[in-house]
Amino acid sequence: MKILIKNGHVIDPANGRDGIMDILTDDGVICGVGTELEVDGFEMEVIDASGKTVVPGLVDMHCHLREPGFEYKEDIESGTRAAAMGGITSVACMPNTKPATDNAAVITFIKERAKEAGYADVYPIGAVSKGLQGKELAEIGEMKFAGAVALSDDGMPVTESWLMRRAMEYAKMFDLRVISHCEDFGLADGGYMNEGPVATAMGLRGISRAAEEVMVARDIIIAEAIGAPVHIAHVSTRGSVELVRQAKKRGVEVTCETCPHYFSLTDRACEGFNTNAKMNPPLRTDDDVAAIKEGLSDGTIDCIVTDHAPHHIDEKNCEFGRALNGIVGFETSLGLGLKYLVNEGVLTLPQLIEKMSLNPSRILDIPKGTLSEGCQADITIFDPDKEWTVDITKFASKSKNSPFDGFKLFGKPEYVIFKGDIILNQGVIL
Amino acid sequence: MKQDLLGLKDLSAEEIKNILETAKSMKVVLTSPSKKTPHLQGKTVVNLFYENSTRTRLSFELAAKYMSANAANISSSGSSVAKGETLIDTAETINAMGTDILVMRHDMSGAPHLIAPLVDASVINAGDGMNEHPTQALLDMFTMLEKKGSIEGLKVAIVGDITHSRVVRSNIYGLKKLGAEVTVGGPATLVPQGIEQMGVKVFTTVHEAIVGADVVMGLRIQLERQKKGLFPSVREYNRFFGIDETRLKFAKPDALLMHPGPVNRGVEFSSSVIDGPQSVINEQVTNGVAVRMAVMYLLSRGGFK
């Protein structure tokens, strides 16, 4: 089937495109982008994209799909449907499944399930250590050949410095990058939210910024010492941004990401013991939010990821201290980026799209995030000026743990084309 | 609409004054030969305690019984809580049995705030994690009011483990609303970041904290905090932060000595000051019953307004 997208504002950072153009796809592949496309109208779907923005299908390099093991929170089908609702056509999922994604068999299982589900391409991230235990390396080479695109122990940070060193060294041999969730458990001290006046006034144990920054510094130092790449996950503090900025200046092969909640919310969102604002790293302060925006603006922060972390209602509707960390993010990330970054002048629209598609693709070395002729036809279409209201009851995700319910955002995806098929049509998933 | 008592953060100065005023007449009942009033006749009070407690639980239970309420106690061990029932399910079960007032103590901050909107009963927070312990602060303020005549302008110094104390937070909220000046003091490791934004002065020497104070309040030091690197030893804590007769002289000569209990003798305070003329620690306990009677009575009548 052919699809012709007419008169849209095409933004394609990989090819420097930023203007009104048409796009033609055929048989799942982009076969033409330009103003004067020669089109054979036989059996062709036409989307009128006048007044809308047309971008590469978004790429989210940090999410949790919960399958296998926690299907009551999310599974690969519901998760990728939610991704499609958010304009995301490629996701990299973290290995804290049950069993852990620490071997080739689980990697293969996830890829197979994703093929059946069919709403997004799923790129599994393998564990650094067996069982995410931080003791022995997982079978990294085996996982690479089964399809792992990166390595991480995510929420179970690699505490032992010697193991992190060996992981980076060994992973480099297979052209894999270690993604580090930076948290010094001892310094975090069992805290529930950012340390500071808000936590103090609520009597909640705080997590110091130092818990994150100490590990960011450590991992940069290790990467620099052995000449291996490292990717810092969900940067949330001014200090972390500065550490990455300085390391990049020195030429260290470090990349990093942040999440929409770190540039749109502060720890005040926890007031009233709001468990949907509980996450790890925790929401910080206005000063940190400003620093995250500076880091996005000057290129220190390479990409925006969702850290989509679905949890069942019973895991959030409980005592704050007992509530699990994390929020769902697929269906709000583009809207938050537009509202808090583009509309506030932090990033241009092409820069936002670059950080949500091309940059993560380059970090993971996957052929995504572009509208180049010959590439898989993954395309997202939205109107960046059109306001919409977040309604968690309408989420495609099985879980509704979002602090953004009722927020007015912009640019809800209207069309999503995945592998040349229209899977989201006028905002409705097919 | 029912009212709850989740914390002094949520109460106005007027509401606090109303409780303290009501507690005065309750204290009359409490000190009369026949301690029985019909104020809560036909009402049911359930004490749901997820942490060990002697004085607070007994104080609530007796306060309820003195006012003729049906009173029952549940502790987390030996109940459905031990079988893994969630807090919400337990609270809804208790609510479904016709409970009018649910008194809750829980080791997690915000636990009563989670329950209050879900039940018909008025919820009284009897201590949640490190957050608030409103009836303790009310009895502290009642004691100060009784002894000093007014809260406004009083200088109250609170010394000890500030970080982990729900007593200190409730006292700060309440005392500030009634116009007192509050200073806190303790080892830097036991003073939480940003507490000065609650409107208090912070000192890390006992002298600076209590100099010129009208009220000196000590807070219990839990010995297990030593293992987490928060202070080196009880001996050293006492040397730098313990209050004895010599140190108490930094405060005003007629300063009150208070403690929410239980006291570690020879750690926070020396025995000589605990049993000395400035100590009102035992009267605090009596006043606790009066204040809890007042709180329950007002809640059963619709609220503190």
Side-chain angles (χ1 to χ4, degrees):
Chain A
M1 190 187 72
K2 290 182 185 173
I3 302 169
L4 177 65
I5 303 163
K6 281 179 71 77
N7 293 320
H9 174 195
V10 172
I11 295 176
D12 177 19
N15 297 294
R17 292 175 177 132
D18 182 4
I20 305 297
M21 287 173 226
D22 300 338
I23 299 180
L24 183 68
T25 76
D26 188 9
D27 202 19
V29 173
I30 293 171
C31 55
V33 182
T35 46
E36 311 257 324
L37 291 184
E38 273 188 38
V39 178
D40 161 14
F42 186 64
E43 281 198 0
M44 184 172 70
E45 190 94 25
V46 178
I47 296 172
D48 177 10
S50 315
K52 301 187 203 307
T53 300
V54 181
V55 302
L58 302 178
V59 178
D60 181 6
M61 66 173 286
H62 189 148
C63 72
H64 302 267
L65 295 178
R66 304 301 190 205
E67 185 179 351
F70 302 99
E71 292 83 355
Y72 67 96
K73 301 176 196 243
E74 193 82 286
D75 59 31
I76 289 168
E77 184 176 342
S78 67
T80 54
R81 274 171 73 97
M85 290 288 284
I88 298 162
T89 53
S90 301
V91 299
C93 54
M94 284 294 173
N96 58 341
T97 49
K98 194 175 168 182
T101 311
D102 65 354
N103 62 74
V106 182
I107 299 273
T108 305
F109 168 81
I110 291 169
K111 290 192 72 79
E112 286 300 313
R113 286 286 294 114
K115 260 184 224 158
E116 293 161 28
Y119 293 97
D121 277 327
V122 176
Y123 296 94
I125 295 168
V128 167
S129 68
K130 292 190 186 84
L132 308 167
Q133 294 297 305
K135 295 203 169 80
E136 293 175 17
L137 290 183
E139 290 173 342
I140 289 169
E142 294 263 351
M143 289 194 288
K144 163 79 180 185
F145 284 97
V149 293
L151 301 166
S152 183
D153 278 358
D154 197 30
M156 298 285 287
V158 179
T159 297
E160 297 292 345
S161 303
W162 61 266
L163 187 68
M164 185 51 106
R165 178 230 158 116
R166 295 305 177 202
M168 286 187 204
E169 218 166 29
Y170 192 82
K172 188 188 177 187
M173 173 171 72
F174 292 101
D175 294 321
L176 288 175
R177 187 177 290 247
V178 172
I179 301 173
S180 178
H181 164 118
C182 291
E183 179 185 3
D184 180 312
F185 270 143
L187 277 174
D189 196 22
Y192 300 132
M193 64 177 285
N194 183 52
E195 182 174 2
V198 182
T200 292
M202 290 165 72
L204 288 172
R205 260 184 287 170
I207 303 170
S208 165
R209 288 178 187 74
E212 175 175 324
E213 293 161 4
V214 159
M215 289 300 239
V216 172
R218 182 198 75 170
D219 291 343
I220 286 171
I221 289 166
I222 293 174
E224 189 169 15
I226 63 173
V230 67
H231 180 81
I232 308 297
H234 40 51
V235 164
S236 77
T237 75
R238 176 174 288 280
S240 297
V241 173
E242 186 55 28
L243 284 163
V244 173
R245 184 179 286 131
Q246 293 306 325
K248 282 187 167 184
K249 275 190 196 148
R250 294 198 303 275
V252 183
E253 211 182 327
V254 56
T255 52
C256 75
E257 62 187 37
T258 192
C259 310
H261 32 282
Y262 300 121
F263 58 70
S264 58
L265 295 177
T266 67
D267 55 0
R268 288 190 305 276
C270 298
E271 281 174 348
F273 301 98
N274 177 12
T275 56
N276 280 332
K278 186 183 177 191
M279 54 199 77
N280 188 14
L283 296 172
R284 307 286 186 181
T285 65
D286 289 324
D287 182 58
D288 296 295
V289 167
I292 295 292
K293 288 178 178 172
E294 288 160 27
L296 284 162
S297 175
D298 72 10
T300 301
I301 301 175
D302 300 276
C303 51
I304 296 166
V305 303
T306 65
D307 197 3
H308 180 79
H311 287 302
H312 190 269
I313 176 88
D314 291 341
E315 294 166 331
K316 283 291 194 180
N317 189 24
C318 61
E319 301 90 320
F320 195 91
R322 188 160 289 158
L324 298 184
N325 283 313
I327 63 170
V328 291
F330 284 151
E331 296 172 68
T332 49
S333 60
L334 176 62
L336 289 163
L338 289 167
K339 177 164 177 163
Y340 291 94
L341 300 177
V342 177
N343 292 2
E344 287 188 16
V346 176
L347 295 179
T348 63
L349 183 52
Q351 285 172 326
L352 176 72
I353 297 308
E354 189 174 8
K355 287 181 196 294
M356 296 185 74
S357 59
L358 181 61
N359 289 356
S361 304
R362 286 187 172 154
I363 290 167
L364 297 178
D365 193 22
I366 57 175
K368 294 301 187 84
T370 117
L371 296 173
S372 302
E373 284 89 341
C375 280
Q376 181 171 309
D378 295 351
I379 303 166
T380 292
I381 303 173
F382 59 94
D383 178 350
D385 299 319
K386 199 164 160 187
E387 197 177 62
W388 62 286
T389 303
V390 179
D391 177 356
I392 55 166
T393 64
K394 301 229 165 71
F395 279 175
S397 172
K398 283 186 187 176
S399 296
K400 317 293 175 194
N401 50 308
S402 168
F404 298 112
D405 194 27
F407 272 51
K408 293 203 185 323
L409 305 179
F410 292 88
K412 193 174 169 63
E414 294 174 29
Y415 295 90
V416 172
I417 295 161
F418 172 59
K419 285 186 184 164
D421 290 327
I422 300 174
I423 60 165
L424 186 80
N425 191 338
Q426 296 177 59
V428 179
I429 199 122
L430 302 177
Chain B
M1 216 185 79
K2 65 139 181 173
Q3 193 174 1
D4 305 292
L5 177 59
L6 302 180
L8 297 193
K9 188 184 193 172
D10 318 311
L11 293 194
S12 66
E14 291 317 305
E15 290 172 304
I16 293 171
K17 284 178 184 165
N18 198 12
I19 295 168
L20 298 179
E21 192 59 35
T22 309
K24 274 188 201 165
S25 45
M26 293 301 175
K27 191 165 181 187
V28 176
V29 175
L30 198 58
T31 47
S32 71
S34 170
K35 294 187 279 288
K36 201 76 172 172
T37 76
H39 285 112
L40 291 184
Q41 186 118 46
K43 302 284 182 189
T44 300
V45 176
V46 174
N47 288 319
L48 176 61
F49 274 58
Y50 284 81
E51 274 184 349
N52 294 334
S53 163
T54 307
R55 71 190 64 213
T56 304
R57 202 176 79 170
L58 186 60
S59 181
F60 270 108
E61 186 178 354
L62 291 176
K65 286 180 170 164
Y66 292 156
M67 294 190 292
S68 309
N70 306 307
N73 294 314
I74 302 166
S75 59
S76 51
S77 58
S79 69
S80 56
V81 174
K83 297 178 190 168
E85 186 172 56
T86 66
L87 174 61
I88 290 179
D89 287 346
T90 303
E92 284 181 341
T93 301
I94 296 168
N95 186 56
M97 293 184 193
T99 302
D100 298 290
I101 294 175
L102 177 59
V103 179
M104 250 186 82
R105 167 166 290 190
H106 199 283
D107 57 348
M108 288 192 171
S109 302
H113 306 67
L114 175 70
I115 295 309
L118 306 177
V119 297
D120 307 308
S122 284
V123 174
I124 298 176
N125 180 3
D128 64 321
M130 298 159 20
N131 181 38
E132 283 222 47
H133 190 354
T135 57
Q136 176 68 42
L138 287 166
L139 77 87
D140 293 337
M141 286 191 283
F142 183 82
T143 308
M144 293 176 210
L145 192 60
E146 216 180 30
K147 299 287 176 189
K148 296 289 178 189
S150 168
I151 303 278
E152 194 167 353
L154 283 187
K155 190 185 165 195
V156 180
I158 309 176
V159 178
D161 178 356
I162 307 298
T163 298
H164 300 94
S165 176
R166 50 198 175 208
V167 175
V168 91
R169 286 173 179 78
S170 283
N171 264 302
I172 292 171
Y173 288 125
L175 287 166
K176 295 294 295 179
K177 281 176 184 173
L178 296 199
E181 188 190 320
V182 183
T183 63
V184 300
T189 42
L190 291 173
V191 176
Q193 243 186 42
I195 194 159
E196 60 286 345
Q197 292 195 23
M198 294 177 77
V200 303
K201 290 193 188 127
V202 180
F203 297 102
T204 49
T205 70
V206 71
H207 162 254
E208 290 172 294
I210 71 176
V211 68
D214 297 290
V215 177
V216 175
M217 190 185 293
L219 298 172
R220 185 176 166 79
I221 292 296
Q222 291 195 3
L223 306 183
E224 60 270 23
R225 311 258 183 240
Q226 197 174 309
K227 293 198 191 94
K228 294 195 76 188
L230 295 170
F231 63 95
S233 67
V234 164
R235 182 171 168 274
E236 179 155 323
Y237 177 85
N238 181 254
R239 162 139 187 226
F240 291 98
F241 295 96
I243 294 169
D244 57 12
E245 285 163 302
T246 316
R247 285 211 173 121
L248 193 54
K249 290 202 173 81
F250 290 124
K252 285 189 183 154
D254 60 347
L256 305 176
L257 187 84
M258 301 176 72
H259 196 292
V263 188
N264 294 307
R265 282 179 179 263
V267 181
E268 299 101 63
F269 293 160
S270 67
S271 285
S272 59
V273 297
I274 293 169
D275 304 323
Q278 289 171 264
S279 169
V280 292
I281 295 171
N282 289 334
E283 280 178 78
Q284 286 177 268
V285 177
T286 309
N287 293 340
V289 181
V291 157
R292 288 172 181 122
M293 288 170 76
V295 165
M296 287 191 279
Y297 170 63
L298 291 171
L299 284 178
S300 75
R301 295 257 311 224
F304 305 126
K305 288 227 162 57

